[in-house]
Amino acid sequence: MLFTDERTFVASDLILASLVCQIVGGLAGAAAIDRLGRKPVLQAGAWLCLLSNILLSLYFSTVDDHHNCPTRPGSVLCWTPAVATCIFFFGFGGGLGNIFFVLLGELVPVESSSTAVPVVTFFLNTLLVPRHQD
């Protein structure tokens, strides 16, 4: 549990916020790739992911062994993991998450891309991406 007071944080809210951030980041990244090109968009996404990892490492260097927030629950420092997670998903969705689809579109010939891209995506998502169910 992130906070000792459950009224200040609910994990399902963070999951929903992360998904929204990734969708918004993906849409922003797709629009930015057309205007700015791939390289700056991928660099911006990588920098946002780096920033979120730095924020998380700073947070976890200040918590105690029981992962309790050092200040009172609900303070700005206690919300650092939630904000850092949203920043990461925004950067990943907008930058680094698009690499696969950009490269796949360039590696597959145009004549067979309508069948090859869905097949490759299906097999990568079902075979390589681990699924954990409780």
Side-chain angles (χ1 to χ4, degrees):
M1 181 154 74
L2 189 60
F3 298 143
T4 55
D5 182 10
E6 291 185 11
R7 292 175 294 160
T8 59
F9 181 79
V10 179
S12 60
D13 291 342
L14 178 59
I15 293 169
L16 180 62
S18 300
L19 290 174
V20 169
C21 288
Q22 187 170 6
I23 290 169
V24 170
L27 293 173
I33 282 179
D34 284 339
R35 295 178 185 216
L36 303 173
R38 287 179 299 195
K39 189 174 181 180
V41 173
L42 294 176
Q43 287 174 343
W47 281 109
L48 284 174
C49 290
L50 176 67
L51 171 68
S52 69
N53 286 328
I54 290 171
L55 287 173
L56 281 174
S57 64
L58 289 174
Y59 171 78
F60 283 112
S61 67
T62 60
V63 296
D64 60 9
D65 291 337
H66 301 290
H67 297 291
N68 291 327
C69 190
T71 59
R72 61 180 176 76
S75 68
V76 174
L77 180 63
C78 293
W79 282 99
T80 302
V83 172
T85 302
C86 284
I87 291 172
F88 180 85
F89 277 109
F90 183 83
F92 182 79
L96 300 175
N98 292 333
I99 291 176
F100 168 73
F101 297 105
V102 169
L103 292 179
L104 190 59
E106 291 181 358
L107 293 175
V108 176
V110 177
E111 309 81 49
S112 61
S113 65
S114 63
T115 15
V117 172
V119 168
V120 170
T121 304
F122 171 76
F123 281 111
L124 286 178
N125 286 335
T126 56
L127 300 176
L128 296 181
V129 177
R131 304 274 189 222
H132 178 70
Q133 297 177 356
D134 291 324

